[in-house]
Amino acid sequence: MSNDAAAPITGAEIVVRCLAEEGVKHVFGYPGGAVLYIYDAIFKQDKFQHILVRHEQAAVHAADAYSRSSNEVGVCLVTSGPGVTNAVTGLSTAYMDSIPMVVISGQVPTNAIGQDAFQECDTVGITRPVVKHNFLVKDVKDLADTIKKAFYIARTGRPGPVLVDIPKDVSMQKATFSYPKEVEMRSYRPVDKGHAGQIRKAVQLLLAAERPMIYTGGGVILANASNELNKLVDKLGFPVTNTLMGLGAYRATDKKFVGMPGMHGTYEANMAMQHCDVLIAIGARFDDRVIGNPKHFATNPRKIIHIDIDPSSISKRVKVDIPIVGNVKDVLVELLSQLDAAEQRPNPAVQKWWQQIEDWRGRECLRYATSDELIKPQSVVEKLWEVTGGDAYVTSDVGQHQMWAAQYYPFDKPRRWINSGGLGTMGVGLPYAMGVQMANPGATVACITGEGSIQMNIQELATCKQYHLTPKIILLNNRFLGMVRQWQELDYGSRYSESYMDSLPDFEKLAEAYGHVGMRIEKPGDVEGALRDAFAMKDRLVFMNFITDRSENVWPMVKTGKGLSEMLLGSEDL
């Protein structure tokens, strides 16, 4: 090491050097007093690009989507006090969906902590429930080690966001820089390899099954195990379902894919989940939106194999017979190896099971009434799939439009569907599109949104203009908070309390005011042409305002408290 390299540098410079050591290419953030030394150090470096958002919530969402679409750790930087509290929603969103992210926050000087100083808040206390781990760094000598640990914790085991809180005086103090090559933490040793004996039992159970079902979640995508999953499904010939977070893990255009399960899943997926005799859950957590009422789910006896990196997720909501703790990719590699070595083949009775599934599939639960007068939101999503050749990165906000995107855009590749599953955060769609495009320059990016969600972070249209980001925004505008309105129609006697959007902006002019292209589409016959025109404008953000049928509901639907086989397929079932 040269004398120069050993010379003490400021904590702010250490932060920048650490990010460079981690190979970080983009940091999303918003400056403020407590992080100005760090911003000054950013100004002097050329290893990564800082993206100035217009609200801290958008910074965290953009870093989140950057990670989801690229398998890199997303990074963002916020100031103390309101900077941190604005970031909490984004942290919680990433935490619920197990997204690896490092958030660096500024803090008041160490001698002012606990004194109600200007722009002070208890960052560690506030964020503890919504992060995988957090740190308060009180000594500049601990800074590099702490950031190394933050990246390690974020990306290993069950991934998640990690926050590093840095007081302003720590960013001013000096220390020699040395970045650790490895991390050793006695209290944190995630398991990667699954138990070979348990995997052997799983293989035997799968090969003997008469009515098998493969149920996969976001863990397959987070573990980069899509190839292994595709090999497993194709080898066994079993039906497979991907949750909302797992869409794209198995190719949706294949006949073995029976659709998404759960509250707005397909009839065939839910009936197969309910009536199978062996269920293998891979990187999924049996959450309430997937299996409905756990007591109803348990009424049909079945053997359950559960593969998950997080031991606390196993038998949390549903008792399982063969638990396998380990990284999904490692476990599937071993499972495939044992299947190859097995002399036994899948049970021939599976053919009869497929006949039953085809009968359920014949219900055509996603069929909807078309119209020559009104734009049906489902048709916009179908046309989007045609126009993009099924190869776009699709971000969504939360609500009816999110479910229609999941139902009608078949994803054949992982990391192409970017949405908030666990927390259900409105306002993520546009910052998600920004993060995706920064991580995947030149890719086709579409943001499907609603008129309620888009207004929650619409200021990020300015960020898109500044950094030449050109996602295509597909607003399915039904002049309602659509999912709220649907529930009010079904469960609250059609009393639409505060769900009607009574005063909407002229979205086309608003987009133009930010320097983008605005379109208004009101006729079904104009949908495809508008989409083709928009995607032909490679170098422009195009905001498409589709005026859709405001009475359309998302079907099928499993109402709260009901079981998977108690689905409503349409209004005629009410």
Side-chain angles (χ1 to χ4, degrees):
M1 187 180 285
S2 69
N3 289 336
D4 235 13
I9 59 175
T10 66
E13 290 167 323
I14 288 172
V15 171
V16 168
R17 291 278 295 274
C18 290
L19 297 180
E21 289 281 346
E22 287 290 341
V24 171
K25 295 290 184 286
H26 297 94
V27 174
F28 301 87
Y30 201 94
V35 285
L36 285 185
Y37 285 103
I38 299 174
Y39 270 91
D40 195 46
I42 287 173
F43 185 84
K44 299 170 185 173
Q45 61 82 47
D46 61 0
K47 300 295 185 186
F48 58 83
Q49 182 183 10
H50 180 277
I51 311 299
L52 175 65
V53 297
R54 301 312 190 255
H55 192 291
E56 289 92 351
Q57 182 177 336
V60 190
H61 291 328
D64 173 349
Y66 188 95
S67 175
R68 290 182 198 241
S69 65
S70 69
N71 191 36
E72 301 292 336
V73 176
V75 181
C76 66
L77 172 61
V78 298
T79 195
S80 63
V84 166
T85 57
N86 281 345
V88 168
T89 298
L91 281 167
S92 188
T93 302
Y95 179 69
M96 288 286 279
D97 290 345
S98 305
I99 306 304
M101 196 161 66
V102 170
V103 176
I104 296 169
S105 59
Q107 183 55 276
V108 299
T110 50
N111 63 2
I113 291 174
Q115 304 296 313
D116 294 333
F118 177 66
Q119 289 193 333
E120 180 190 0
C121 70
D122 178 8
T123 297
V124 168
I126 288 169
T127 62
R128 185 175 284 120
V130 295
V131 294
K132 187 176 176 183
H133 195 62
N134 59 20
F135 298 91
L136 171 61
V137 183
K138 292 187 174 180
D139 188 330
V140 69
K141 296 186 189 71
D142 298 331
L143 195 49
D145 281 357
T146 302
I147 291 176
K148 180 69 177 182
K149 286 177 183 176
F151 275 88
Y152 175 69
I153 293 169
R155 63 162 65 98
T156 54
R158 180 178 180 173
V162 178
L163 181 135
V164 181
D165 199 31
I166 305 174
K168 188 169 184 176
D169 57 318
V170 173
S171 68
M172 296 163 54
Q173 291 162 3
K174 290 190 174 184
T176 55
F177 176 70
S178 174
Y179 200 60
K181 293 215 173 346
E182 293 180 358
V183 173
E184 188 68 28
M185 300 172 70
R186 275 191 311 175
S187 60
Y188 178 68
R189 295 179 183 274
V191 175
D192 285 333
K193 303 292 182 187
H195 189 283
Q198 292 292 86
I199 295 171
R200 194 174 307 113
K201 287 182 191 174
V203 168
Q204 291 166 355
L205 202 55
L206 288 168
L207 292 175
E210 295 182 4
R211 302 186 310 280
M213 184 68 178
I214 299 173
Y215 152 53
T216 79
V220 175
I221 291 171
L222 291 168
N224 295 311
S226 183
N227 285 340
E228 288 74 16
L229 175 66
N230 278 260
K231 286 177 186 173
L232 178 71
V233 175
D234 294 345
K235 188 175 189 62
L236 292 172
F238 293 173
V240 60
T241 182
N242 299 155
T243 66
L244 183 73
M245 294 307 302
L247 292 177
Y250 185 79
R251 52 194 191 278
T253 53
D254 191 281
K255 288 286 280 183
K256 290 185 285 298
F257 181 67
V258 295
M260 182 175 69
M263 177 174 276
H264 294 297
T266 66
Y267 183 71
E268 52 269 30
N270 283 348
M271 292 298 279
M273 286 277 286
Q274 188 67 23
H275 295 287
C276 63
D277 66 346
V278 173
L279 177 66
I280 179 168
I282 308 172
R285 56 190 180 91
F286 293 93
D287 74 282
D288 57 306
R289 288 294 171 107
V290 169
I291 64 163
N293 185 330
K295 287 184 179 177
H296 181 278
F297 188 70
T299 55
N300 287 19
R302 62 176 78 72
K303 295 289 185 183
I304 299 177
I305 305 158
H306 193 177
I307 302 168
D308 206 288
I309 189 74
D310 181 4
S312 73
S313 288
I314 295 178
S315 290
K316 188 175 186 177
R317 300 195 76 240
V318 171
K319 188 176 182 305
V320 306
D321 301 280
I322 302 179
I324 302 173
V325 177
N327 179 44
V328 166
K329 190 183 186 80
D330 291 326
V331 173
L332 288 184
V333 166
E334 175 63 20
L335 188 63
L336 284 164
S337 174
Q338 291 200 24
L339 275 171
D340 285 338
E343 294 179 10
Q344 190 180 349
R345 297 295 97 194
N347 194 323
V350 174
Q351 292 310 312
K352 190 176 178 185
W353 175 231
W354 267 116
Q355 290 170 13
Q356 173 63 77
I357 290 171
E358 290 305 321
D359 285 347
W360 290 327
R361 198 175 246 158
R363 298 288 293 269
E364 296 184 322
C365 66
L366 294 181
R367 188 175 55 202
Y368 60 93
T370 57
S371 170
D372 293 330
E373 303 298 322
L374 298 170
I375 295 175
K376 295 289 184 176
Q378 303 94 319
S379 71
V380 178
V381 178
E382 288 178 327
K383 285 296 178 190
L384 175 66
W385 183 78
E386 287 179 29
V387 168
T388 59
D391 200 34
Y393 287 83
V394 178
T395 76
S396 87
D397 272 293
V398 171
Q400 287 181 317
H401 59 271
Q402 176 191 25
M403 293 300 108
W404 285 319
Q407 290 174 328
Y408 294 95
Y409 195 106
F411 291 92
D412 279 346
K413 297 175 184 175
R415 299 189 182 274
R416 294 303 182 93
W417 166 235
I418 314 294
N419 80 119
S420 167
L423 196 64
T425 307
M426 292 173 68
V428 296
L430 180 54
Y432 270 4
M434 289 160 30
V436 168
Q437 196 158 61
M438 291 307 301
N440 304 274
T444 300
V445 181
C447 169
I448 298 177
T449 187
E451 72 287 344
S453 289
I454 192 64
Q455 293 187 82
M456 289 194 173
N457 270 312
I458 202 161
Q459 74 283 340
E460 298 309 313
L461 288 172
T463 307
C464 291
K465 183 65 177 175
Q466 180 173 343
Y467 296 97
H468 310 291
L469 301 174
T470 59
K472 307 304 181 262
I473 298 171
I474 290 97
L475 170 58
L476 302 180
N477 185 349
N478 58 11
R479 286 81 72 209
F480 271 110
L481 297 176
M483 193 58 88
V484 174
R485 196 241 349 119
Q486 176 168 336
W487 283 55
Q488 287 173 336
E489 177 186 327
L490 301 183
D491 290 344
Y492 299 89
S494 295
R495 292 181 294 278
Y496 300 132
S497 175
E498 306 304 323
S499 57
Y500 173 56
M501 300 296 276
D502 206 20
S503 176
L504 290 174
D506 183 328
F507 286 109
E508 306 84 81
K509 286 183 179 174
L510 187 57
E512 289 164 7
Y514 277 105
H516 305 300
V517 177
M519 291 184 181
R520 183 180 178 92
I521 304 97
E522 299 184 79
K523 296 177 182 176
D526 295 336
V527 169
E528 182 175 348
L531 286 166
R532 292 197 182 281
D533 288 347
F535 282 95
M537 288 185 251
K538 303 281 188 193
D539 59 345
R540 299 297 300 275
L541 183 151
V542 184
F543 193 120
M544 288 168 276
N545 182 11
F546 290 94
I547 309 302
T548 63
D549 182 351
R550 57 202 326 221
S551 65
E552 199 67 27
N553 285 333
V554 179
W555 303 111
M557 181 177 181
V558 179
K559 293 179 78 172
T560 304
K562 296 294 185 181
L564 286 182
S565 58
E566 301 175 303
M567 302 183 76
L568 304 176
L569 297 190
S571 55
E572 67 278 2
D573 287 346
L574 294 172

